[in-house]
């Protein structure tokens, strides 16, 4: 039996970390019940100004810290996150309504990201010597410098993980951060800031601002030296345009309409189980989650029947223990949006195989895990991101057909291919237009590979997280070129024609011996 009593925490201690006016506060609700649990100060443009000023002043000193001293802060932060995992899980659940299993998995991303950059930051940030323009008598040294203050605009679906997976490399690179979480999910980000300060980060280096997205978001973009945004495609386009108008770089992860392809030789049992996780983890509120399932004709009926039976048996409900496999959606408004997509698909001939109903008996934001087939191209469920516990099944006859259908979307974030013949499955994956391609995993594997970049094609975003570029993007590079002996101009009184001949011979030598 799930436990529904919300854990008790000092929410005022957390909301007090927000740069805003307590007299202009809005409620933060426990999603499972809809009951208010805290009052969240709202930031004005003046509050955002002040937050950036404090962060900028602190950054000047932080950037002078030796990298080893900055790393020591994050060694302690890593330890604190793993020690306080239960509290972080509580806060994520309270503000999002997700199942405890998923809340725990969310927080695990931060120790993983921290471990990765603790190992790689020294290499990435040390000066790199390159061959100079003139062999033997010149050098070029690449120096990495922090950009200044990074604006991080984080979404509600992974409030702890996404905000800090961006903040960690930005801070290690020597930047300050102004973090804007969603108004519905400020508690776990504020607790993360509390842990950072406990770990020894300068008090003003990380600031949190909160408020309506159309008001506070643009204020952050207007003041940041680099913008990291995660959210919807429509908002991402506005953020990109605003940042570009200031000649400020932006990196963004946007939406997805992610396909999973089950080939004829796939292990159906394993594909079914992974598909359940890929579709219904985080109640489907995951940019990487599977929304379209393409299954080869020869195994379609078998896969469908097993998958539907497994989905129908999912344990759905509220609770602060690990019993439930799926929790609620973020809000009643989002629940209604998901339900409307399913209803319109039904009106156009789609068949609901399981689910398809709201569940007010479980809580105000619950919607059943849903499987449909016969979804037609005339519906928004066919083309638009649903971002809920809903998937559509489609049969295919040939690999070419599956690839064409999978790529038939303006998005390109994640994709999955299943087959026993790994070479054949990888060959299919190589044809997919997606930033993440998982072979025999539905959604998480590619993103969890912290050594490799994580990004999206087409309308799914620009730039990457993870890998070397996940930290280097928060830096500017300076090329310090040194000339040991003056050879760039002709000697006095030498005819220029002779200098031309010498230069041509040197260029030929550079090509022959590959000295550049």
């Amino acid at each position: 039996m799930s436990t529904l009593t919300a854990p008790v925490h000092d929410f005022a201690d957390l909301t007090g970390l927000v740069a805003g006016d307590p007299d202009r506060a809005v409620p933060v609700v426990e999603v499972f019940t809809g009951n208010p649990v805290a009052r969240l100060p709202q930031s004005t443009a003046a509050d955002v100004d002040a937050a950036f000023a404090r962060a900028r002043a602190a950054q000047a000193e932080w950037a002078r810290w030796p990298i080893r001293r900055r790393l020591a802060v994050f060694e302690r932060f890593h330890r604190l996150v793993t020690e306080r995992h239960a509290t972080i899980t509580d806060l994520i659940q309270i503000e999002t309504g997700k199942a405890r299993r998923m809340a725990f998995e969310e927080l695990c991303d931060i120790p993983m990201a921290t471990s990765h950059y603790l190992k790689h930051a020294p290499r990435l940030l040390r000066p790199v010597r390159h061959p100079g323009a003139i062999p033997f008598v010149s050098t070029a040294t690449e120096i990495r410098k922090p950009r200044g203050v990074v604006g991080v605009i984080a979404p509600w679906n992974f409030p702890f993980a996404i905000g800090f997976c961006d903040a960690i490399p930005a801070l290690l690179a020597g930047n300050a951060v102004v973090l804007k979480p969603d108004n519905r999910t400020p508690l776990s980000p504020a607790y993360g800031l509390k842990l950072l300060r406990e770990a020894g980060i300068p008090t003003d280096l990380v600031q949190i601002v909160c408020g309506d997205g159309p008001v506070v978001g643009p204020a952050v973009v207007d003041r940041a030296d680099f913008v990291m945004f995660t959210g919807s495609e429509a908002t991402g386009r506005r953020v990109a345009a605003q940042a570009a108008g200031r000649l400020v770089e932006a990196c963004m992860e946007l939406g997805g309409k992610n396909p999973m392809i089950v080939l004829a030789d796939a292990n159906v049992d394993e594909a079914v189980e992974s598909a359940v996780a890929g579709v219904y983890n985080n109640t489907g509120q995951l940019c990487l989650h599977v929304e379209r399932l393409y299954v080869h004709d020869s195994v379609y009926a078998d896969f469908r029947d097993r998958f539907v039976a497994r989905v129908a048996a999912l344990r759905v409900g509220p609770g602060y223990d690990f019993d439930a496999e799926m929790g609620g959606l973020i809000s009643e408004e989002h629940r209604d949006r998901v339900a409307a997509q399913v209803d319109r698909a039904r009106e156009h001939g789609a068949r609901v195989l399981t689910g398809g109903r709201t569940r007010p008996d479980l809580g105000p934001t619950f919607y059943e895990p849903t499987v449909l087939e016969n979804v037609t191209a005339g519906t928004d469920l066919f083309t638009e991101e649903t971002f809920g516990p809903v998937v559509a099944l489609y049969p295919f006859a040939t690999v070419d057909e599956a690839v064409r259908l999978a790529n038939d979307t303006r998005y390109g974030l994640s994709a999955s291919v299943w087959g026993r013949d790994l070479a054949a499955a990888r060959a299919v994956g190589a044809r997919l237009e997606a930033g993440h391609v998982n072979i025999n995993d539905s959604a998480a594997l590619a993103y969890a590979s912290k050594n490799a970049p994580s990004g999206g094609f087409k309308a799914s975003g620009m730039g990457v997280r993870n890998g070397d570029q996940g930290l280097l993007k928060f830096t500017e590079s300076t090329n310090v070129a040194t000339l040991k002996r003056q050879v760039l101009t002709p000697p006095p009184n030498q005819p220029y024609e002779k200098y031309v001949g010498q230069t041509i011979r040197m260029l030929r030598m550079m090509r022959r011996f590959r000295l550049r």
Side-chain angles (χ1 to χ4, degrees):
M1 179 67 67
S2 293
T3 56
L4 191 52
T5 303
V8 176
H9 294 284
D10 186 356
F11 299 119
D13 181 52
L14 299 178
T15 57
L17 297 175
V18 176
D21 184 356
D23 294 331
R24 298 178 62 256
V26 299
V28 179
V29 303
E30 180 196 20
V31 174
F32 285 147
T33 63
N35 296 330
V37 295
R39 300 284 296 170
L40 178 67
Q42 297 293 275
S43 307
T44 63
D47 293 321
V48 177
D49 262 336
F52 270 88
R54 288 191 295 270
R56 206 170 292 284
Q59 188 270 333
E61 173 63 25
W62 173 252
R64 288 192 288 268
W65 283 27
I67 183 62
R68 289 185 178 276
R69 188 178 175 191
R70 296 203 295 265
L71 291 171
V73 171
F74 283 92
E75 290 277 7
R76 293 189 290 270
F77 178 68
H78 182 284
R79 174 177 54 79
L80 289 169
V81 169
T82 56
E83 287 176 353
R84 313 282 176 83
H85 65 88
T87 297
I88 299 169
T89 304
D90 288 346
L91 295 171
I92 292 170
Q93 277 201 281
I94 288 167
E95 63 191 356
T96 66
K98 65 180 65 179
R100 193 166 186 83
R101 299 176 182 200
M102 196 64 226
F104 173 73
E105 290 180 20
E106 173 180 344
L107 78 87
C108 290
D109 190 55
I110 297 309
M112 291 171 63
T114 305
S115 294
H116 173 77
Y117 286 114
L118 284 171
K119 178 179 179 180
H120 293 283
R123 169 181 61 84
L124 295 172
L125 296 174
R126 71 169 60 105
V128 178
R129 187 166 174 171
H130 300 284
I134 309 299
F136 310 118
V137 297
S138 69
T139 62
T141 302
E142 176 186 354
I143 297 175
R144 290 286 174 171
K145 300 177 181 177
R147 292 180 180 269
V149 182
V150 174
V152 176
I153 301 175
W156 50 258
N157 61 323
F158 283 88
F160 184 76
I162 291 181
F164 287 101
C165 79
D166 294 328
I168 288 162
L171 291 165
L172 280 170
N175 298 283
V177 168
V178 174
L179 170 62
K180 184 213 167 293
D182 189 277
N183 246 16
R184 290 166 286 191
T185 55
L187 301 177
S188 61
Y191 190 73
L193 173 54
K194 182 178 179 179
L195 295 185
L196 277 174
R197 290 182 177 175
E198 187 175 339
I201 208 161
T203 299
D204 288 336
L205 191 68
V206 178
Q207 301 284 318
I208 294 181
V209 294
C210 289
D212 288 339
V215 176
V216 178
V220 170
V221 177
D222 266 344
R223 293 157 178 81
D225 301 307
F226 185 92
V227 177
M228 187 67 225
F229 173 81
T230 306
S232 71
E233 174 195 352
T235 304
R237 291 181 183 276
R238 293 194 293 272
V239 169
Q242 185 183 352
R246 296 182 54 230
L247 297 180
V248 166
E249 290 186 46
C251 178
M252 49 190 62
E253 182 190 290
L254 307 177
K257 193 71 178 174
N258 306 307
M260 174 172 161
I261 297 173
V262 181
L263 300 172
D265 69 333
N267 183 315
V268 173
D269 288 335
E270 292 179 357
V272 164
E273 196 61 30
S274 186
V276 170
V279 175
Y280 302 107
N281 273 358
N282 214 51
T283 320
Q285 300 166 122
L286 170 62
C287 295
L288 302 171
H289 99 115
V290 175
E291 297 204 358
R292 299 176 291 146
L293 248 168
Y294 299 102
V295 185
H296 191 269
D297 285 338
S298 64
V299 294
Y300 180 83
D302 184 30
F303 179 94
R304 178 196 60 201
D305 294 347
R306 295 195 207 185
F307 181 67
V308 169
R310 178 69 179 88
V311 173
L314 279 171
R315 295 187 300 278
V316 180
Y320 292 96
D321 57 24
F322 292 103
D323 183 60
E325 294 176 276
M326 194 184 93
L329 293 161
I330 185 65
S331 66
E332 293 176 66
E333 293 79 12
H334 187 54
R335 177 207 63 195
D336 291 343
R337 177 183 173 277
V338 170
Q341 272 203 12
V342 174
D343 290 344
R344 285 191 292 271
R346 276 173 164 154
E347 292 167 3
H348 285 77
R351 185 160 69 101
V352 175
L353 303 179
T354 187
R357 298 183 303 155
T358 60
R359 291 294 302 272
D361 55 312
L362 297 176
T365 72
F366 279 84
Y367 192 82
E368 290 180 333
T370 300
V371 183
L372 302 97
E373 63 179 0
N374 300 326
V375 175
T376 59
T379 64
D380 50 2
L381 196 144
F382 185 87
T383 56
E384 301 301 319
E385 185 176 37
T386 304
F387 219 60
V390 178
V391 70
L393 301 183
Y394 306 90
F396 69 87
T398 68
V399 167
D400 287 345
E401 180 188 11
V403 170
R404 176 181 59 79
L405 293 170
N407 287 337
D408 186 19
T409 172
R410 69 179 186 277
Y411 294 113
L413 188 58
S414 181
S416 171
V417 181
W418 286 77
R420 286 188 170 91
D421 184 337
L422 296 182
R426 283 194 291 263
V428 174
R431 298 171 62 186
L432 300 180
E433 297 166 353
H436 309 77
V437 175
N438 301 281
I439 306 300
N440 291 340
D441 179 78
S442 59
L445 186 64
Y447 178 80
S449 303
K450 298 300 181 185
N451 282 288
S454 165
F457 286 18
K458 300 186 282 191
S460 287
M462 57 186 189
V464 299
R465 289 189 175 102
N466 299 340
D468 290 359
Q469 193 56 35
L471 184 146
L472 292 176
K473 70 186 179 188
F474 294 117
T475 67
E476 300 272 16
S477 61
T478 296
N479 178 8
V480 179
T482 302
L483 188 62
K484 301 175 183 178
R485 181 163 57 88
Q486 292 299 324
V487 294
L488 294 178
T489 57
N493 303 319
Q494 183 189 63
Y496 202 87
E497 290 80 359
K498 184 176 181 180
Y499 176 71
V500 169
Q502 291 171 341
T503 302
I504 291 295
R505 285 193 296 273
M506 182 186 70
L507 293 173
R508 289 171 175 163
M509 181 180 68
M510 290 168 63
R511 170 62 179 166
R512 180 178 178 185
F513 293 102
R514 299 181 180 179
L515 294 174
R516 292 301 312 280

